[in-house]
Amino acid sequence: MNLPNQASRQGSDVSATAPNREGMLNQFRSAFVMLGCMLVVILLVVLLPPDGNERADWLQFIGRFHPLVVHFPIALFLLVPILELVGRRDRFAYLRLSVNFVLGLATLGATAALILGWCLARSGGYSGRLITQHMWGGVVLSIICWVCWLMRTRQRELGTAYAVVLALGVALVTWTGYRGAQLSLGPNHLTEHMPPVLRTLLRVEPGRATAVTADPNTFYGARIQPILSARCITCHGEDKHKGSLRLDSYRALMRGGKDGPIIQAENTQASELFRRITLPASHDDFMPKGKQPLSAEQMKLIELWIAAGASETLAVNAVKNAPSGSAMAAEMTFHEVDPTTVTKLRSPIAALVSQLQEQFPNILDYDSRSSADLRLNGSILGSRFRDGDLEAFAPIAEQIVVADLSRTAITDHSAAIMARMKRLRVLRLMDTHLTDATLLRLDSLNQLESLDVYGTPITPTVLPAIAKLPRLSHFYAGQTGIQPGKSVPEDLVGKLVF
Amino acid sequence: MSHSKARSRTLTELEIRSGSAGEVAFEFLQARTRRHFLRSLGGGLGTLFLGTMASKFAPSVKAAGADTTALDFSRDASTPLSELPPQFPAKVRRVIYLHMAGAPSQLELFEHKPELKKLDGQDCPASFLAGKRFAFISGVPKLLASQYAFHQAGQSGQWISDRLPHLDKCVDDICFIKSMRTDQFNHAPAQLLVQTGNPRLGYPSFGSWVVYGLGTENQNLPGFIVLLSGGKTPDGGKQLWSSGFLPSVYQGVQCRSHGEPVLYLDNPPGVSRSLRRSMLDTIGEIDQQTYATFGNPETVTRIAQYEMAFRMQMDATDAMDIRKEPASVHARYGSKPGEATFANNCLVARRLAERGVRFIQLYHWGWDSHGADAKEALNLGFNDRCREVDQPTAALLSDLKSRGLLEDTLVVWGGEFGRTPMRENRGGQEMKYVGRDHNPGAFTIWLAGGGVKAGISHGETDEMGYEIVKDPVEIRDLHATMLYLLGFDHHKLNFRFQGLEQKLTSVKPARVVAEILA
């Protein structure tokens, strides 16, 4: 960057030949005024740091303009290196004339943003690692702006130092801006909605705000901390401690915030935490502020826990009448179907499956769009479906997980094929002519959960063999030779349905 | 100049004369919205840029804005009802929805409220009335205890009233949702909300969505069949089983409950099946030409409907003919062939479920127990309604269970809203008969079958059974849950219409009720 400073070259007859003390002073005055402002702010930052307490309306009102104002110096400052670099080409040399002006504006803006930022941090109830980093980033950045401006306007030759300081400033703008966005949008706002494909490519963990893990066998660990983690710690956690309160560990919870403890053991009414979460949402003290109130069950759990002594070690089942926890069931997440994976899974059988689908319309299909498992429904064809037809499905027998052959004309000759369907979960043979011979050959179906022989000539002879199927949970044996209650093996009790 | 004018005039006349071409053009314009314009603007420039860069990037560069995870529901035009696998492995393959039109009183059937009994006949507290709108209640009504005795039934010990002695035996298979809530308090919009996810006209019904998403197993029967048990058509009308903006081939087919199930299904005298076939072939050819010219998808629907009617001639008559069932079955259902009753329809429902019909919708009627006359009084007509549905519903459940069908069938029973714990006082007067007004704030629906916890109750109302105090379930939550059981993320079962990915659960966020899933 050893280029002559064009701005000063233009005014060379004034500043280069006759350095005038008065003029120098005038020139430096504005710089010193700005430096003064900055020093005041730095003094404020050091003496009156953000401490998590909320303060007067005026300060907060003004402070709220910080996110609005802060974007101007950012944009202006980032414009400077662009102007400098592009201006190096002769065609765009005129751009460099504007640099001083832009830098001056950026310095002014940075100082204003810094003052507003302090107002917001001091009055808005902020404290914690993020705010401190963001704040000092802003302070240093303002100084860098000022130094750049000083160098740009005072020096004739722009040395490497200027380039280095400018580059430092750009890096710091990025870092400080990111910290600020984390403050307002959440610590992982950038990666939160990253598509899974990119996520795996860049190895980004789907991070969440977490709390210190508590013992899951205690009532606190199993029932209370999950509520706090889900609803409270974005503002009262590691990164933000509004009201000087942290709720990410038992110790922090019991320590309380700026106004002292928030939990009085065995006294729900005197516990500030409980008072605030049960206020109407429109109340000034309501928590979580600006968000959905806790559910009735969550309130009940907290109430019961405080009433029981708010202990860290209380056993999970020691609290009577605690809501069952069924309502704490996880929200349903839906699996994304990745078409390429599914295509790959299906590739060994795809050709065969489509050929069979052509041959027997509507009776063979994939179990779902996300797998290569098949389901066979011969019952649609009724008595038109015979042993020979089932034979055609032999090559894909092991992919079939559900087979409905009810009301078909298959006979015991088909037992061999059915025995090859080793991954069957459900087998329906309702109203067929199959006999004990078939059922006695199904011992290879160790995945079978449901077997339906309603309305077949099956006899109790098969029961011991059926009882050995390891995963079987339902055996539908209505309208067969099997009668309720008679000679049922112990393993089948509760599984037989009539 | 004059030449082109004349030409444009003939064109307009042509367009007017050939209505369908105009319709297609009209629909095309309707479907194009500001969003399309803006998207093609940005997307167009973007793709131009990407097109030039494509060789440098990965081999497959998708058009800007294309949703790669959208599910494809397209099918061959000649088989619009062919089966499609669900999005992920599903617990439920078919639905039998028993809709009790008129909204049965949960306080006389499933909601045991001893506190309400203590306060019977007392003035309703003012807090119950503040900010509330009622269809008929005015002034200060009196609280009304349940008219019937309750007891605990089954191993699960769930409370049930003595009006349902048969269903009593099935409670261990049932999951009651006692905290259903709706935002509609008149029958037609409330029924529409339950059946189409929207209180206004023009949206596809639940059955239509399901058949659109999954097709149907048996191509010789409609995938979505509706049966009415005589009496009155539900207030929501045929719109309750319409396909809305989905292709009309997915609408519910209402079958007659007595006589021929579908009118004019038999060939007229002198017309043989082969003559019918060659007639349909010729009509099909003409329709294909029409489709080739104008591209209106409804032409294809028409061809498919003709073909289905042809196949149905054999199968529908057989499926609906309950005379083929033995006397013992009729005794259990209380069905009598030849009548239009809920009992007959329950038996038909079981036969249709066995034959692979995807969505079977039964409507019963007359549950609007205001007490304005004997027929709709809680102490009179209500008894008849209970008798009409109790035995066949229980028989249907136990039949499905013993045949192994209950494990992949979802049975739903319920109305469109609940009833008040206050006695109705139309015009501020005590009425001759006992009745309750509409209560959209709380009602009970029950589910039984695949993927649902059996023998539980979900949600709670207050001691009067008036408002929900725990785990409210919105209609859209119920829909999302049912679609989940059928193997769909409710966001993904959608259809592009008027610039939106329209879905059953509409635009408000819906939640799968994970607590009731087995």
Side-chain angles (χ1 to χ4, degrees), chain B residues 30-320:
Chain B
Q30 255 210 328
R32 264 193 95 73
T33 64
R34 178 173 44 90
R35 293 172 194 227
H36 285 107
F37 172 71
L38 290 173
R39 197 174 58 172
S40 58
L41 204 69
L45 287 175
T47 27
L48 263 179
F49 166 70
L50 278 179
T52 60
M53 306 290 283
S55 55
K56 292 180 189 164
F57 288 121
S60 65
V61 174
K62 296 234 163 61
D67 180 2
T68 52
T69 59
L71 301 180
D72 180 14
F73 295 104
S74 61
R75 299 160 163 97
D76 189 297
S78 62
T79 56
L81 291 171
S82 60
E83 243 194 313
L84 289 175
Q87 188 184 352
F88 42 80
K91 293 276 176 63
V92 170
R93 299 283 295 164
R94 67 196 72 80
V95 178
I96 300 178
Y97 200 119
L98 312 174
H99 190 124
M100 303 296 120
S105 165
Q106 73 276 26
L107 295 161
E108 265 67 36
L109 295 175
F110 310 113
E111 283 269 70
H112 176 49
K113 297 292 172 190
E115 276 304 306
L116 181 61
K117 192 161 195 175
K118 286 183 204 156
L119 298 173
D120 186 30
Q122 298 195 16
D123 276 353
C124 169
S127 61
F128 276 33
L129 306 172
K132 288 271 162 50
R133 287 174 73 203
F134 296 98
F136 293 105
I137 281 178
S138 52
V140 179
K142 306 264 192 265
L143 291 169
L144 180 68
S146 177
Q147 300 299 293
Y148 301 108
F150 273 76
H151 63 276
Q152 284 179 294
Q155 292 195 327
S156 55
Q158 306 208 70
W159 289 92
I160 191 164
S161 93
D162 63 3
R163 293 301 97 181
L164 302 170
H166 292 86
L167 198 68
D168 196 291
K169 313 271 188 307
C170 301
V171 287
D172 289 338
D173 294 319
I174 289 177
C175 166
F176 291 100
I177 303 178
K178 294 188 170 167
S179 51
M180 288 301 306
R181 192 158 73 182
T182 175
D183 53 15
Q184 296 299 317
F185 79 139
N186 279 318
H187 295 287
Q191 288 167 357
L192 282 169
L193 181 65
V194 170
Q195 294 303 336
T196 72
N198 215 297
R200 289 172 296 281
L201 303 175
Y203 292 84
S205 56
F206 197 139
S208 298
W209 277 113
V210 173
V211 178
Y212 165 70
L214 292 172
T216 184
E217 291 174 294
N218 191 336
Q219 298 295 311
N220 300 344
L221 288 172
F224 176 16
I225 293 183
V226 181
L227 295 162
L228 269 52
S229 47
K232 173 179 157 209
T233 307
D235 297 87
K238 291 182 169 76
Q239 187 66 38
L240 295 176
W241 50 91
S242 100
S243 56
F245 43 73
L246 292 176
S248 52
V249 69
Y250 300 113
Q251 71 184 288
V253 174
Q254 184 195 343
C255 291
R256 303 200 321 152
S257 300
H258 60 112
E260 291 169 52
V262 180
L263 282 177
Y264 313 120
L265 201 56
D266 289 340
N267 289 325
V271 177
S272 70
R273 195 159 165 80
S274 61
L275 182 60
R276 168 75 69 171
R277 178 71 265 167
S278 60
M279 189 176 104
L280 287 181
D281 287 343
T282 313
I283 294 175
E285 242 169 69
I286 298 169
D287 281 343
Q288 282 295 351
Q289 286 169 15
T290 312
Y291 181 64
T293 316
F294 301 116
N296 187 342
E298 290 298 303
T299 313
V300 185
T301 298
R302 174 53 63 93
I303 301 172
Q305 294 287 35
Y306 277 135
E307 289 299 324
M308 168 168 290
F310 183 71
R311 295 192 303 267
M312 269 171 63
Q313 287 189 320
M314 312 287 279
D315 285 35
T317 322
D318 169 64
M320 311 286 261

Side-chain angles (χ1 to χ4, degrees), chain A residues 331 369 407 428 450 452 476, chain B residues 86 354 403-404 407 511:
Chain A
E331 295 298 302
R369 291 173 188 252
R407 293 180 302 281
R428 280 199 184 134
S450 164
D452 188 350
Y476 300 96
Chain B
E354 282 179 317
R403 280 154 206 265
E407 69 178 35
R511 173 179 181 272

Side-chain angles (χ1 to χ4, degrees), chain A residues 297-496:
Chain A
E297 183 168 300
Q298 290 171 329
M299 291 181 199
K300 185 82 194 159
L301 282 169
I302 291 175
E303 183 182 3
L304 287 170
W305 178 66
I306 295 176
S311 142
E312 189 183 9
T313 51
L314 187 74
V316 67
N317 51 8
V319 180
K320 289 219 172 65
N321 306 323
S324 63
S326 61
M328 310 270 289
E331 295 298 302
M332 264 318 135
T333 47
F334 301 102
H335 312 286
E336 284 287 327
V337 181
D338 177 19
T340 46
T341 323
V342 177
T343 315
K344 209 178 280 173
L345 272 175
R346 290 178 180 177
S347 61
I349 52 164
L352 200 54
V353 168
S354 42
Q355 185 201 323
L356 283 165
Q357 282 174 329
E358 196 110 319
Q359 197 181 343
F360 299 94
N362 307 316
I363 73 167
L364 181 75
D365 208 343
Y366 292 101
D367 185 41
S368 78
R369 291 173 188 252
S370 61
S371 79
D373 295 345
L374 294 168
R375 75 173 39 236
L376 173 68
N377 187 0
S379 74
I380 294 298
L381 293 177
S383 56
R384 281 168 286 163
F385 193 82
R386 296 166 200 285
D387 290 331
D389 300 320
L390 189 58
E391 194 78 47
F393 296 91
I396 48 158
E398 293 198 7
Q399 295 293 323
I400 299 176
V401 293
V402 177
D404 188 349
L405 302 168
S406 305
R407 293 180 302 281
T408 59
I410 59 163
T411 67
D412 290 333
H413 294 295
S414 286
I417 294 179
M418 283 186 254
R420 284 177 61 185
M421 301 180 181
K422 293 204 175 72
R423 292 182 52 230
L424 268 189
R425 287 197 320 263
V426 179
L427 179 60
R428 280 199 184 134
L429 306 169
M430 219 191 321
D431 294 322
T432 56
H433 303 297
L434 298 173
T435 67
D436 296 350
T438 298
L439 258 64
L440 291 171
R441 292 187 61 182
L442 298 182
D443 54 346
S444 56
L445 306 185
N446 52 23
Q447 303 289 310
L448 198 65
E449 292 163 16
S450 164
L451 177 60
D452 188 350
V453 294
Y454 181 95
T456 57
I458 301 292
T459 69
T461 325
V462 299
L463 289 176
I466 299 299
K468 283 188 192 129
L469 291 170
R471 314 238 349 221
L472 195 74
S473 60
H474 289 92
F475 182 48
Y476 300 96
Q479 307 292 313
T480 63
I482 302 168
Q483 299 293 319
K486 273 188 208 158
S487 63
V488 175
E490 211 168 288
D491 290 351
L492 274 180
V493 174
K495 297 176 181 174
L496 265 170

Side-chain angles (χ1 to χ4, degrees), chain A residues 95-240:
Chain A
L95 284 179
R96 305 189 72 200
L97 295 175
S98 329
V99 171
N100 280 356
F101 177 68
V102 171
L103 251 179
L105 270 184
T107 314
L108 260 173
T111 314
L114 186 62
I115 295 169
L116 292 174
W118 174 80
C119 293
L120 181 60
R122 176 73 181 161
S123 65
Y126 288 92
S127 65
R129 188 171 57 92
L130 269 182
I131 189 75
T132 316
Q133 289 180 351
H134 179 63
M135 187 181 75
W136 283 107
V139 169
V140 176
L141 199 57
S142 305
I143 295 174
I144 286 182
C145 274
W146 180 76
V147 169
C148 280
W149 182 58
L150 217 60
M151 289 169 101
R152 193 65 169 72
T153 44
R154 307 304 146 206
Q155 284 186 351
R156 218 160 289 175
E157 298 289 314
L158 286 174
T160 331
Y162 172 69
V164 169
V165 175
L166 204 57
L168 211 72
V170 171
L172 200 62
V173 163
T174 317
W175 184 77
T176 311
Y178 176 61
R179 282 283 180 262
Q182 281 185 312
L183 273 173
S184 56
L185 300 173
N188 52 347
H189 65 283
L190 279 185
T191 53
E192 203 176 357
H193 293 289
M194 187 184 264
V197 186
L198 266 182
R199 207 183 269 286
T200 42
L201 207 71
L202 301 175
R203 302 216 175 86
V204 177
E205 298 292 323
R208 282 196 65 202
T210 50
V212 177
T213 41
D215 182 358
N217 295 318
T218 61
F219 191 81
Y220 171 76
R223 310 304 299 275
I224 302 301
Q225 186 67 71
I227 301 173
L228 302 176
S229 296
R231 304 303 314 275
C232 313
I233 66 166
T234 13
C235 294
H236 302 291
E238 192 186 348
D239 294 324
K240 274 191 216 173

